[in-house]
Amino acid sequence: MKLQKLTGRLDNAGMVASVLCAIHCSVVPLILTLLPLWGLEFLAEEWVEITMIGAALVIGILSLGVSFKKHHSRITPIALLLSGFLLIALGHFSEYEGLEPVLIPAGGFTIAIAHYMNWRFTRCRMHHL
């Protein structure tokens, strides 16, 4: 039961981190010129984005990996997690700059959906035991 609580908390953290990352990547380009006025220019720094992506990756691997092994053995959340990070990578490394503001937030929301599905599968599995 403690493991279920841990993975549930990790899924919640993963959903929040992924949605924050998606919001950050979609909003910052729109308000980039206003950030210094509010003292928030650090949000446009690359280290903030790398930190958010790294946190989402670590939390995703831990949460979905444990849940897959211990609770539900469903591959869909892992496939969505990998798809989300693929979208983020394509957004970062694409030669077309117009794709970045579309692909990166889409990747963040895809990762959030992966955590939500994992949370639901784990919760359903634990209720049926």
Side-chain angles (χ1 to χ4, degrees), residues 28 31-32 34-45:
V28 167
I31 59 170
L32 198 57
L34 298 175
L35 290 178
L37 294 174
W38 299 329
L40 300 173
E41 62 271 0
F42 74 93
L43 290 175
E45 298 288 333

mmCIF file of all heavy atoms in Angstrom, residues 28 31-32 34-45:
data_model
loop_
_atom_site.group_PDB
_atom_site.id
_atom_site.type_symbol
_atom_site.label_atom_id
_atom_site.label_comp_id
_atom_site.label_asym_id
_atom_site.label_seq_id
_atom_site.Cartn_x
_atom_site.Cartn_y
_atom_site.Cartn_z
ATOM 1 N N VAL A 28 5.861 31.521 -22.284
ATOM 2 C CA VAL A 28 7.066 32.351 -22.235
ATOM 3 C C VAL A 28 7.335 33.059 -23.564
ATOM 4 O O VAL A 28 7.621 34.253 -23.560
ATOM 5 C CB VAL A 28 8.287 31.542 -21.736
ATOM 6 C CG1 VAL A 28 9.587 32.291 -21.978
ATOM 7 C CG2 VAL A 28 8.133 31.249 -20.252
ATOM 8 N N ILE A 31 5.101 36.167 -23.762
ATOM 9 C CA ILE A 31 5.283 37.278 -22.815
ATOM 10 C C ILE A 31 6.757 37.567 -22.536
ATOM 11 O O ILE A 31 7.085 38.217 -21.552
ATOM 12 C CB ILE A 31 4.529 37.003 -21.502
ATOM 13 C CG1 ILE A 31 5.011 35.722 -20.834
ATOM 14 C CG2 ILE A 31 3.047 36.956 -21.734
ATOM 15 C CD1 ILE A 31 4.473 35.536 -19.438
ATOM 16 N N LEU A 32 7.628 37.100 -23.411
ATOM 17 C CA LEU A 32 9.066 37.237 -23.222
ATOM 18 C C LEU A 32 9.489 38.682 -22.953
ATOM 19 O O LEU A 32 10.342 38.934 -22.101
ATOM 20 C CB LEU A 32 9.796 36.710 -24.462
ATOM 21 C CG LEU A 32 11.260 36.372 -24.334
ATOM 22 C CD1 LEU A 32 11.477 35.355 -23.232
ATOM 23 C CD2 LEU A 32 11.784 35.825 -25.646
ATOM 24 N N LEU A 34 7.832 41.010 -21.511
ATOM 25 C CA LEU A 34 7.326 41.538 -20.242
ATOM 26 C C LEU A 34 8.032 40.953 -19.010
ATOM 27 O O LEU A 34 7.930 41.509 -17.926
ATOM 28 C CB LEU A 34 5.826 41.264 -20.128
ATOM 29 C CG LEU A 34 4.938 41.907 -21.196
ATOM 30 C CD1 LEU A 34 3.505 41.445 -21.031
ATOM 31 C CD2 LEU A 34 5.029 43.414 -21.135
ATOM 32 N N LEU A 35 8.727 39.853 -19.182
ATOM 33 C CA LEU A 35 9.347 39.171 -18.038
ATOM 34 C C LEU A 35 10.283 40.070 -17.221
ATOM 35 O O LEU A 35 10.212 40.053 -15.993
ATOM 36 C CB LEU A 35 10.077 37.913 -18.505
ATOM 37 C CG LEU A 35 9.188 36.769 -18.990
ATOM 38 C CD1 LEU A 35 10.052 35.607 -19.477
ATOM 39 C CD2 LEU A 35 8.230 36.311 -17.915
ATOM 40 N N PRO A 36 11.156 40.868 -17.851
ATOM 41 C CA PRO A 36 12.031 41.728 -17.035
ATOM 42 C C PRO A 36 11.264 42.750 -16.191
ATOM 43 O O PRO A 36 11.701 43.098 -15.100
ATOM 44 C CB PRO A 36 12.911 42.433 -18.080
ATOM 45 C CG PRO A 36 12.893 41.535 -19.263
ATOM 46 C CD PRO A 36 11.527 40.904 -19.264
ATOM 47 N N LEU A 37 10.138 43.203 -16.687
ATOM 48 C CA LEU A 37 9.345 44.164 -15.914
ATOM 49 C C LEU A 37 8.827 43.547 -14.620
ATOM 50 O O LEU A 37 8.636 44.242 -13.624
ATOM 51 C CB LEU A 37 8.165 44.677 -16.745
ATOM 52 C CG LEU A 37 8.524 45.511 -17.980
ATOM 53 C CD1 LEU A 37 7.271 45.821 -18.781
ATOM 54 C CD2 LEU A 37 9.217 46.792 -17.554
ATOM 55 N N TRP A 38 8.568 42.271 -14.642
ATOM 56 C CA TRP A 38 8.037 41.564 -13.479
ATOM 57 C C TRP A 38 9.135 40.897 -12.653
ATOM 58 O O TRP A 38 8.852 40.227 -11.656
ATOM 59 C CB TRP A 38 7.028 40.510 -13.907
ATOM 60 C CG TRP A 38 5.833 41.040 -14.624
ATOM 61 C CD1 TRP A 38 5.234 42.255 -14.448
ATOM 62 C CD2 TRP A 38 5.096 40.387 -15.638
ATOM 63 N NE1 TRP A 38 4.163 42.381 -15.285
ATOM 64 C CE2 TRP A 38 4.048 41.251 -16.041
ATOM 65 C CE3 TRP A 38 5.199 39.156 -16.257
ATOM 66 C CZ2 TRP A 38 3.135 40.922 -17.015
ATOM 67 C CZ3 TRP A 38 4.280 38.818 -17.234
ATOM 68 C CH2 TRP A 38 3.263 39.698 -17.598
ATOM 69 N N GLY A 39 10.385 41.014 -13.089
ATOM 70 C CA GLY A 39 11.484 40.358 -12.380
ATOM 71 C C GLY A 39 11.532 38.864 -12.625
ATOM 72 O O GLY A 39 12.078 38.115 -11.813
ATOM 73 N N LEU A 40 10.944 38.410 -13.708
ATOM 74 C CA LEU A 40 10.863 36.971 -14.000
ATOM 75 C C LEU A 40 11.664 36.577 -15.233
ATOM 76 O O LEU A 40 11.356 35.576 -15.877
ATOM 77 C CB LEU A 40 9.395 36.573 -14.194
ATOM 78 C CG LEU A 40 8.464 36.816 -13.013
ATOM 79 C CD1 LEU A 40 7.025 36.528 -13.399
ATOM 80 C CD2 LEU A 40 8.876 35.978 -11.823
ATOM 81 N N GLU A 41 12.672 37.355 -15.578
ATOM 82 C CA GLU A 41 13.430 37.056 -16.790
ATOM 83 C C GLU A 41 14.121 35.697 -16.731
ATOM 84 O O GLU A 41 14.410 35.096 -17.763
ATOM 85 C CB GLU A 41 14.442 38.158 -17.113
ATOM 86 C CG GLU A 41 15.499 38.380 -16.074
ATOM 87 C CD GLU A 41 15.108 39.389 -15.000
ATOM 88 O OE1 GLU A 41 14.007 39.947 -15.016
ATOM 89 O OE2 GLU A 41 15.932 39.595 -14.111
ATOM 90 N N PHE A 42 14.356 35.189 -15.524
ATOM 91 C CA PHE A 42 14.989 33.872 -15.393
ATOM 92 C C PHE A 42 14.148 32.761 -16.022
ATOM 93 O O PHE A 42 14.683 31.720 -16.402
ATOM 94 C CB PHE A 42 15.285 33.546 -13.925
ATOM 95 C CG PHE A 42 14.061 33.199 -13.125
ATOM 96 C CD1 PHE A 42 13.677 31.879 -12.983
ATOM 97 C CD2 PHE A 42 13.297 34.194 -12.515
ATOM 98 C CE1 PHE A 42 12.544 31.546 -12.246
ATOM 99 C CE2 PHE A 42 12.179 33.865 -11.778
ATOM 100 C CZ PHE A 42 11.787 32.545 -11.651
ATOM 101 N N LEU A 43 12.834 32.960 -16.153
ATOM 102 C CA LEU A 43 11.974 31.932 -16.760
ATOM 103 C C LEU A 43 12.303 31.683 -18.221
ATOM 104 O O LEU A 43 11.984 30.624 -18.764
ATOM 105 C CB LEU A 43 10.500 32.321 -16.628
ATOM 106 C CG LEU A 43 9.917 32.264 -15.222
ATOM 107 C CD1 LEU A 43 8.492 32.781 -15.218
ATOM 108 C CD2 LEU A 43 9.988 30.858 -14.664
ATOM 109 N N ALA A 44 12.933 32.633 -18.871
ATOM 110 C CA ALA A 44 13.307 32.478 -20.275
ATOM 111 C C ALA A 44 14.668 31.805 -20.427
ATOM 112 O O ALA A 44 15.079 31.504 -21.546
ATOM 113 C CB ALA A 44 13.315 33.833 -20.967
ATOM 114 N N GLU A 45 15.349 31.549 -19.333
ATOM 115 C CA GLU A 45 16.666 30.919 -19.386
ATOM 116 C C GLU A 45 16.542 29.447 -19.766
ATOM 117 O O GLU A 45 15.597 28.762 -19.378
ATOM 118 C CB GLU A 45 17.367 31.028 -18.028
ATOM 119 C CG GLU A 45 17.637 32.445 -17.580
ATOM 120 C CD GLU A 45 18.751 33.110 -18.378
ATOM 121 O OE1 GLU A 45 19.630 32.401 -18.883
ATOM 122 O OE2 GLU A 45 18.719 34.347 -18.483
#
